Amino acid sequence: MAYNIVPLTELISQFERLPGIGKKTAQRLALSILEQPPERAEKFAEALVNARKKIHFCKCCQALTDLEICPICSDETRDRGVICVVAEPKDVMAFERTREFGGTYHVLHGVISPLDGVGPDRLRIKELMTRLASGEVKEIIMATNPTVEGEATASYLSRLIKPMGIKVTRLAYGIPVGGDLEYADEFTLARALEGRNEI
Amino acid sequence: MAYNIVPLTELISQFERLPGIGKKTAQRLALSILEQPPERAEKFAEALVNARKKIHFCKCCQALTDLEICPICSDETRDRGVICVVAEPKDVMAFERTREFGGTYHVLHGVISPLDGVGPDRLRIKELMTRLASGEVKEIIMATNPTVEGEATASYLSRLIKPMGIKVTRLAYGIPVGGDLEYADEFTLARALEGRNEI
């Protein structure tokens, strides 16, 4: 009879399915659960089910929320005239951590990527267009990643939105704060030169 | 109103409490749960609670099991005359993966470590002594880690057991299979020389 503890094997395989978690890490995580009091495992289980059940996309900006309309969209103090368009819900969190942006967001839930079979129709572009129809919006900030797909998505949307008379901007390219010129690639450096500002 | 999705924050903090999981990884893992169908989160939650509830220590060898006596201890074909003493339940799994050991195990659940306030009384030594009292055991293999604490524990137990007329052995030290002599530290190399075998 082989030494196989079914409930443990099952827990390990659940951890293994998480992104970036290999066999050994999964085993370590599963064993750490066994070392904790049972209440910890129950709280963890509750948090898992709760998060999955309660969180959905904001009806307006498509970001994650447990409300019908997310706190950002329903915040009267935020500028509805500016929409920052991002690819993923986690990008909203990244911008919110800066505490620098007072506008609203729109999450596309992906980027155009013909190689992966993701066309514009698979993104939440229709929902963005509905928001623009109100006429309230003055500027769209394209904040997709500086990758081929991110650029393609930004320029696709810009071609779509510019004719509506709305200003479309793109995040600045340049050297990262605290970065080292020596390690910056030539494209980044060239863009940093191009986008130089007077001091 | 800040952008704080309570169920998500709770799930992230649960992941963060796992060993070796930082803030960013915890966020990535939590978001990956939201991307999966709800059944996945439910199965994961079930596995967590199940594993914690059903798994306990084998009454005999103190290894992890969901039965009263683990499959290794209750396996008639295994040699009860040889006990491999390990520090942690995961060590049993490591040995079982080799498929080379036909004896039984005993898990101490720690090693003697005065700096951390762990004395012999905190380990499952009493349970080991009870097993030795049967007179069936011929050999004890000390398979604790080759660290200061592991060595101290091995020699403490050896002093305790040897007077009972039981053979006490220690895992071989040497160069790891597939290792490179160039990178072996001097202590390991010295031990590998010392423990050399005729070919």
Side-chain angles (χ1 to χ4, degrees), chain A residues 75-142:
Chain A
D75 186 342
E76 293 291 333
T77 68
R78 297 192 75 130
D79 186 357
R80 282 137 205 252
V82 183
I83 298 180
C84 178
V85 176
V86 297
E88 301 293 343
K90 65 174 188 290
D91 301 329
V92 174
M93 300 176 195
F95 275 108
E96 283 303 286
R97 276 196 294 271
T98 69
R99 295 170 195 269
E100 289 284 340
F101 183 62
T104 56
Y105 296 93
H106 192 85
V107 184
L108 295 174
H109 291 276
V111 280
I112 297 171
S113 174
L115 280 178
D116 301 316
V118 182
D121 49 306
R122 290 269 292 273
L123 308 181
R124 308 278 170 122
I125 293 176
K126 209 174 59 203
E127 290 83 352
L128 177 61
M129 291 305 149
T130 313
R131 289 174 72 184
L132 299 185
S134 75
E136 210 184 0
V137 181
K138 303 279 170 282
E139 181 181 354
I140 295 285
I141 304 171
M142 290 303 317

Side-chain angles (χ1 to χ4, degrees), chain B residues 14-192:
Chain B
Q14 288 292 344
F15 272 115
E16 238 183 298
R17 287 187 197 179
L18 294 172
I21 302 291
K23 225 183 173 80
K24 287 219 167 173
T25 308
Q27 187 191 299
R28 201 183 68 231
L29 297 181
L31 286 174
S32 82
I33 295 292
L34 300 184
E35 285 165 10
Q36 304 282 345
E39 303 83 64
R40 272 292 317 280
E42 276 157 32
K43 279 222 160 160
F44 195 166
E46 205 184 292
L48 275 167
V49 175
N50 243 339
R52 187 61 192 85
K53 200 166 61 189
K54 291 192 183 158
I55 298 174
H56 43 250
F57 302 139
C58 167
K59 274 199 172 173
C60 175
C61 74
Q62 314 294 322
L64 296 173
T65 180
D66 54 342
L67 309 166
E68 195 177 1
I69 300 290
C70 81
I72 298 172
C73 286
S74 59
D75 186 342
E76 293 293 335
T77 67
R78 297 191 76 131
D79 186 359
R80 280 135 206 255
V82 183
I83 298 180
C84 177
V85 177
V86 296
E88 301 294 344
K90 65 172 187 290
D91 301 328
V92 174
M93 298 176 197
F95 275 109
E96 283 301 288
R97 275 196 293 271
T98 69
R99 296 170 195 268
E100 288 285 340
F101 183 62
T104 55
Y105 296 94
H106 192 85
V107 184
L108 296 174
H109 290 275
V111 281
I112 298 172
S113 173
L115 281 177
D116 301 317
V118 182
D121 50 306
R122 290 269 292 274
L123 308 181
R124 309 279 170 119
I125 293 176
K126 208 175 59 205
E127 289 83 352
L128 177 60
M129 292 306 151
T130 313
R131 289 176 71 184
L132 298 185
S134 75
E136 207 183 2
V137 181
K138 303 281 168 283
E139 181 182 356
I140 294 285
I141 305 171
M142 290 303 317
T144 50
N145 275 326
T147 57
V148 175
E149 291 84 5
E151 292 301 336
T153 309
S155 68
Y156 174 87
L157 278 176
S158 139
R159 275 199 304 274
L160 216 64
I161 298 167
K162 264 188 179 165
M164 303 168 78
I166 297 168
K167 188 167 131 193
V168 181
T169 55
R170 181 90 177 96
L171 284 186
Y173 288 100
I175 44 167
V177 178
D180 194 321
L181 288 186
E182 196 184 343
Y183 300 118
D185 64 288
E186 56 250 64
F187 299 106
T188 304
L189 264 187
R191 294 292 197 108

Side-chain angles (χ1 to χ4, degrees), chain A residues 1-12 14-15 17-21 24-25 27-29 31-55 63-67 70-72 74-75 77-78 88-90 92-93 96-97, chain B residues 1-12 14-15 17-21 24-25 27-29 31-55 63-67 70-72 74-75 77-78 88-90 92-93 96-97:
Chain A
M1 193 168 166
Y3 183 55
N4 177 20
I5 315 158
V6 181
L8 181 60
T9 313
E10 172 58 23
L11 183 57
I12 294 174
Q14 288 291 344
F15 272 115
R17 287 187 197 179
L18 294 171
I21 303 291
K24 288 218 165 173
T25 308
Q27 187 190 299
R28 203 183 66 232
L29 297 180
L31 287 173
S32 83
I33 295 292
L34 300 185
E35 286 165 10
Q36 304 282 345
E39 304 83 65
R40 272 291 317 280
E42 277 158 30
K43 278 221 162 163
F44 195 167
E46 204 184 293
L48 275 168
V49 174
N50 242 337
R52 188 60 191 84
K53 200 165 60 187
K54 291 190 183 162
I55 298 174
L64 295 173
T65 181
D66 53 342
L67 310 165
C70 81
I72 298 172
S74 58
D75 186 342
T77 68
R78 297 192 75 130
E88 301 293 343
K90 65 174 188 290
V92 174
M93 300 176 195
E96 283 303 286
R97 276 196 294 271
Chain B
M1 193 167 165
Y3 182 55
N4 177 20
I5 315 159
V6 181
L8 181 61
T9 313
E10 173 58 24
L11 183 57
I12 293 173
Q14 288 292 344
F15 272 115
R17 287 187 197 179
L18 294 172
I21 302 291
K24 287 219 167 173
T25 308
Q27 187 191 299
R28 201 183 68 231
L29 297 181
L31 286 174
S32 82
I33 295 292
L34 300 184
E35 285 165 10
Q36 304 282 345
E39 303 83 64
R40 272 292 317 280
E42 276 157 32
K43 279 222 160 160
F44 195 166
E46 205 184 292
L48 275 167
V49 175
N50 243 339
R52 187 61 192 85
K53 200 166 61 189
K54 291 192 183 158
I55 298 174
L64 296 173
T65 180
D66 54 342
L67 309 166
C70 81
I72 298 172
S74 59
D75 186 342
T77 67
R78 297 191 76 131
E88 301 294 344
K90 65 172 187 290
V92 174
M93 298 176 197
E96 283 301 288
R97 275 196 293 271

